[in-house]
Amino acid sequence: MFERDVNRAGSAIRARAACGALLLLATGSAAPAQAPDPRILPAQPAYARNAACAPLRIAMPPGTHRLPGDALISPKPAEIPIGQGDTAICFAYATADMISQRVGRAVSPLDVAGKFYFADPARLEGQPDPALRAHLRAHPNHAADIAWSRNAADINPVGNPGLQPYFDKLEGGEEDAAALLYNLDGLCEERDLPSHEGYAHFTPTYAALRFGAPLRAPNQCLRRVGATVGKLRSRRADAFNDAWLARVETLCRRIPLPVPLLPVSTRVAANQLDFMAMLEAGRPPAPRDITRLLARVDYALDHGRAPTIGYSWYILQDRDPKDPDLAADHSSAVIGRRRTAGGCQYLVQDNTGEYCARMRPDIAGRCDNGRVWLREDELRRTLYSVIYLR
């Protein structure tokens, strides 16, 4: 992160609500000297653009996602990016893509979201992996940052007049925090906890839990939810969320992570609204700072990582004038790069499930089953964050 950008964004840097990225700077106290793990990228590399825009495509693990009821459609669900449906947790889908590419298995976004909202950050300190322990020492404020990001989550009021923080009514999150917390308890594959089309696979489950989860005594600490922030707790929501997480554990055949997940985040704005406010105030990010973000994208791709980016969905699709969302803050993984006559392009894996035909006409021609080639100049207009896993 560029120090002047940290100062400019101020305390709001951690308050991204819709699809954000936790500020985890690649600075801090040095870890004790030890032989570097060849599987892990250095904490403070020299970033540079790939001047040739050398073409490459990052291999993603085969898709295992399916529609509820195994409905048959064309294209087959596994041939398109896993879709978030009507959820507002694109951070979890982008993070799951980033983790899936790193570990070589299709990870469940719903499991990523569950850990982000409810896993106990204090348990990270007890993990034995030396690289993870060094990463935590270099980021001593990670627990406070996770709490801040959880408090920035929104609660969907639709069908929820009491604004209860039920798991399936929570919106927004931080890719970095989600990736860091996913070091706990092993991974859950998408085939075990299906997430395609958001919560559609579990609609009956959520309805049953809404009315059937037993209420506990007030202020009773439930193991699965007791370590989260107060905003995500209530007596009724605790019962629902604890029962849901218990259901997750019955479905997930957890597998140990083959490598620790060590996120690196860089940004020039807190979120897309902050980015837009900077533009309207006549103080846009300097072109060199956006170039530095793109250098992080190039670095990750050149080292076999699929980074996630924070940008606006309105790059891809026109805003409906009736849509109250002015920013359409969005997060996606980047899985490729190519040079064309018009310059460098990046392949963005979109998880909204939107069909290419609904996108802007000039974008639709560069879209294939939800994977979109975006020009560098298009990204520069809204790009504000880059996250990758070391």
Side-chain angles (χ1 to χ4, degrees):
M1 183 81 186
F2 321 126
E3 187 62 33
R4 58 183 174 281
D5 294 327
V6 176
N7 295 333
R8 181 164 59 188
S11 61
I13 198 73
R14 299 178 180 85
R16 178 181 174 190
C19 303
L22 179 70
L23 178 64
L24 292 176
L25 303 183
T27 58
S29 58
Q34 61 184 28
D37 187 332
R39 305 169 302 166
I40 299 172
L41 299 177
Q44 295 179 317
Y47 296 108
R49 293 298 307 276
N50 187 298
C53 188
L56 57 77
R57 181 76 175 260
I58 297 293
M60 301 293 288
T64 61
H65 47 284
R66 54 184 173 79
L67 286 171
D70 293 321
L72 299 178
I73 63 171
S74 180
K76 296 178 181 178
E79 295 175 354
I80 63 176
I82 184 170
Q84 68 186 73
D86 293 331
T87 75
I89 54 171
C90 63
F91 82 95
Y93 285 76
T95 302
D97 278 343
M98 184 168 62
I99 295 173
S100 297
Q101 188 270 329
R102 185 75 178 98
V103 302
R105 293 175 180 269
V107 169
S108 168
L110 291 187
D111 190 47
V112 171
K115 287 187 182 182
F116 168 75
Y117 290 126
F118 300 112
D120 184 357
R123 294 181 54 221
L124 290 168
E125 301 288 351
Q127 301 305 300
D129 187 277
L132 176 59
R133 295 173 70 86
H135 183 86
L136 296 176
R137 287 194 298 271
H139 304 91
N141 295 324
H142 63 274
D145 288 336
I146 290 169
W148 189 298
S149 66
R150 287 172 168 175
N151 277 311
D154 290 327
I155 301 173
N156 187 343
V158 177
N160 186 25
L163 290 180
Q164 295 288 339
Y166 298 125
F167 170 73
D168 62 326
K169 296 297 181 180
L170 298 179
E171 300 182 344
E174 314 286 350
E175 296 95 327
D176 296 27
L180 190 62
L181 287 165
Y182 211 71
N183 284 289
L184 298 172
D185 300 324
L187 64 87
C188 178
E189 294 188 78
E190 167 65 18
R191 70 177 80 240
D192 288 345
L193 189 68
S195 308
H196 188 46
E197 289 300 305
Y199 308 122
H201 287 268
F202 298 102
T203 300
T205 300
Y206 295 136
L209 293 181
R210 202 86 74 210
F211 302 102
L215 296 179
R216 307 294 179 88
N219 301 320
Q220 181 176 352
C221 182
L222 301 179
R223 177 179 60 83
R224 297 181 185 89
V225 300
T228 194
V229 295
K231 182 178 182 178
L232 303 186
R233 298 200 63 189
S234 74
R235 188 180 179 198
R236 187 168 296 279
D238 280 358
F240 176 97
N241 294 328
D242 185 72
W244 164 247
L245 294 174
R247 174 66 172 156
V248 169
E249 291 313 308
T250 66
L251 295 174
C252 290
R253 294 167 290 184
R254 296 214 176 263
I255 301 170
L257 289 167
V259 290
L261 304 175
L262 312 178
V264 176
S265 175
T266 310
R267 68 174 66 221
V268 296
N271 50 42
Q272 190 58 214
L273 276 174
D274 185 53
F275 186 94
M276 293 168 62
M278 293 164 64
L279 298 180
E280 292 174 2
R283 49 180 181 84
R288 65 179 177 274
D289 289 345
I290 304 299
T291 297
R292 288 169 178 163
L293 287 182
L294 291 170
R296 270 69 173 171
V297 174
D298 282 339
Y299 175 84
L301 293 174
D302 289 337
H303 289 80
R305 304 289 192 271
T308 64
I309 56 172
Y311 68 111
S312 173
W313 162 254
Y314 293 143
I315 290 181
L316 306 177
Q317 191 174 81
D318 289 323
R319 173 177 172 260
D320 185 328
K322 298 180 181 179
D323 191 335
D325 189 351
L326 298 178
D329 209 345
H330 196 38
S331 177
S332 297
V334 180
I335 60 172
R337 183 181 60 211
R338 72 181 183 186
R339 174 170 288 283
T340 68
C344 202
Q345 295 184 353
Y346 293 90
L347 186 59
V348 172
Q349 178 150 295
D350 175 54
N351 296 109
T352 60
E354 282 288 351
Y355 292 102
C356 297
R358 296 177 183 170
M359 296 184 181
R360 296 175 184 267
D362 57 326
I363 296 291
R366 290 178 264 136
C367 175
D368 180 20
N369 284 347
R371 300 175 182 92
V372 186
W373 287 103
L374 290 179
R375 300 192 309 265
E376 179 178 322
D377 66 290
E378 291 168 332
L379 279 175
R380 281 180 174 273
R381 291 201 289 269
T382 66
L383 178 66
Y384 68 88
S385 71
V386 176
I387 304 96
Y388 69 90
L389 297 175
R390 290 173 51 205

